[in-house]
Amino acid sequence: MTLIAPTLQAWFTDRLTRQLQASPRTIASYRDTLKLLLGYVHDVTGKQPSTLDWDDLDEPLIARFLDHLEHDRQNSPRTRNLRLTAIRSLFKYAALRHPEHAAVIARVLAIPPKRFEKQTVTYLTRPEATALLNAPNRSRWEGRRDYAMLTLAVHAGLRVSELVGLNSGDVAFGTGAHVRCHGKGRKQRAVPLTADAQAVLKAWLTERAGRSADPLFPSRTGRRLSRDAVEQRVGTHAKTAAIAAASLQTKQLHPHVLRHSCAMSLLQAGVDTTVIALWLGHADVRSTQPYLHADLTIKEKALTLVTPPTVTPGRYKPPDALLAFLEEL
């Protein structure tokens, strides 16, 4: 049988879930990509997804689908490349099961990712971070929860998925105070807590109460906050913080900016990039390099060490004996 449906189902159930043990987020991302692709093919060709064959998904059609994502759905090149990654994963699996379609599959696999300009990392300065942390209304329960959540995000540099996945029992105080989180790629790590973060979290956990397996930052109904909910809370507090820090009006704030802010504060404090990579849970220290490019203070320090080419090398000599006497005082 050469129909796509059995292979696609086996790719999800056998390859991704059983063999690769892909994370639920990866499976959800790949699922969404295939839903978009099959929906696009149905709109273009009129064929039902369950009746498609591999010859229907040739390189020109996949290329048009990628263009459709960018131009019609207004997806960024990063999102376009993410969708292409999912498609290539499926086609690599199909190449093993359908060698009779090797030519069609090879042409799809040859589609390159799109190159794009990498923007400078956005982060909060110390006054901006202070304004954001002061934005929640701490006279209300939600405000105290958001204050604790934003404080942890700024001080620990957690991803939003790690932040919403925390339980009350994941925070440890005392000697070696830290927070345990499940990071990207199912990696666990412990992030140390600053004294300020400890004080805020202690107060919040006293009010939060509950069991250790309960979400650390719940909704009013006790459920775990979603990523969209955290993003909405950050956006709301950013508007309030912009009143105290006008520079925030020019910045597009989202939860990942708080992670960038933590990394930049560590970098500016002189922490080595390898330690920052461990702190943030980066698999490769090269992922920390964008922070070096964004930090102007490092470049300014380097500039002070460089002698301008127009200056003649040598030591300064006073032009007069009296001036020499004054220089030595």
Side-chain angles (χ1 to χ4, degrees):
M1 179 179 290
T2 60
L3 292 177
I4 288 177
T7 304
L8 189 148
Q9 292 172 354
W11 175 60
F12 273 106
T13 58
D14 186 57
R15 176 56 63 90
L16 294 180
T17 304
R18 188 180 66 84
Q19 296 180 5
L20 298 180
Q21 295 185 352
S23 69
R25 292 189 56 80
T26 298
I27 293 177
S29 176
Y30 285 11
R31 174 206 64 201
D32 294 342
T33 297
L34 269 297
K35 287 173 64 178
L36 288 172
L37 174 60
L38 296 178
Y40 173 80
V41 174
H42 174 68
D43 294 338
V44 172
T45 66
K47 295 184 178 181
Q48 294 296 329
S50 58
T51 63
L52 292 175
D53 206 339
W54 292 104
D55 290 334
D56 297 318
L57 297 182
D58 55 7
E59 182 270 337
L61 186 141
I62 299 297
R64 291 197 301 273
F65 168 69
L66 297 173
D67 291 338
H68 161 73
L69 293 178
E70 282 195 82
H71 303 305
D72 299 334
R73 294 182 60 86
Q74 300 296 311
N75 290 162
S76 67
R78 288 181 182 272
T79 303
R80 180 257 193 203
N81 291 344
L82 184 65
R83 302 302 186 195
L84 177 59
T85 299
I87 294 172
R88 294 181 67 178
S89 177
L90 170 63
F91 274 71
K92 286 180 181 178
Y93 179 68
L96 304 175
R97 296 169 62 98
H98 302 287
E100 68 276 11
H101 294 284
V104 173
I105 294 174
R107 285 192 289 269
V108 171
L109 292 176
I111 298 176
K114 188 167 187 176
R115 303 184 66 177
F116 55 90
E117 295 182 0
K118 295 182 179 179
Q119 298 180 348
T120 304
V121 169
T122 301
Y123 64 96
L124 301 179
T125 62
R126 189 177 297 274
E128 292 171 345
T130 301
L132 181 64
L133 294 180
N134 291 334
N137 181 5
R138 278 177 267 173
S139 65
R140 302 179 67 242
W141 182 87
E142 290 89 345
R144 294 189 293 274
R145 177 203 61 193
D146 292 352
Y147 174 63
M149 182 171 61
L150 294 177
T151 299
L152 182 59
V154 170
H155 285 258
L158 302 183
R159 300 179 178 90
V160 64
S161 59
E162 298 167 348
L163 201 62
V164 299
L166 290 176
N167 294 327
S168 298
D170 291 331
V171 183
F173 299 108
T175 304
H178 64 275
V179 58
R180 296 184 299 273
C181 63
H182 296 269
K184 199 173 182 180
R186 294 191 297 273
K187 295 191 294 288
Q188 296 185 5
R189 74 179 190 280
V191 182
L193 293 174
T194 62
D196 292 341
Q198 289 185 59
V200 173
L201 288 176
K202 279 183 179 179
W204 168 246
L205 281 172
T206 301
E207 179 179 2
R208 169 73 180 87
R211 299 168 299 178
S212 61
D214 292 337
L216 179 59
F217 303 114
S219 64
R220 266 293 183 183
T221 59
R223 297 179 180 178
R224 200 175 297 276
L225 287 176
S226 65
R227 293 168 57 93
D228 291 340
V230 175
E231 186 170 353
Q232 187 270 336
R233 301 309 299 161
V234 170
T236 298
H237 296 314
K239 293 179 181 179
T240 304
I243 300 175
S247 57
L248 286 175
Q249 297 176 2
T250 62
K251 294 185 176 181
Q252 187 73 26
L253 252 64
H254 50 81
H256 214 68
V257 172
L258 308 184
R259 177 173 165 85
H260 294 329
S261 304
C262 173
M264 292 301 296
S265 64
L266 292 172
L267 186 64
Q268 292 168 354
V271 179
D272 188 79
T273 54
T274 56
V275 177
I276 297 176
L278 290 172
W279 187 298
L280 299 179
H282 285 161
D284 193 326
V285 71
R286 288 177 296 180
S287 300
T288 315
Q289 297 302 316
Y291 303 116
L292 292 172
H293 294 288
D295 189 8
L296 289 177
T297 59
I298 294 179
K299 299 174 184 177
E300 290 171 351
K301 290 178 181 178
L303 186 62
T304 60
L305 301 176
V306 178
T307 302
T310 57
V311 176
T312 304
R315 295 181 61 85
Y316 169 74
K317 295 182 179 180
D320 184 84
L322 180 58
L323 292 178
F325 166 77
L326 294 175
E327 291 282 352
E328 292 175 355
L329 290 179

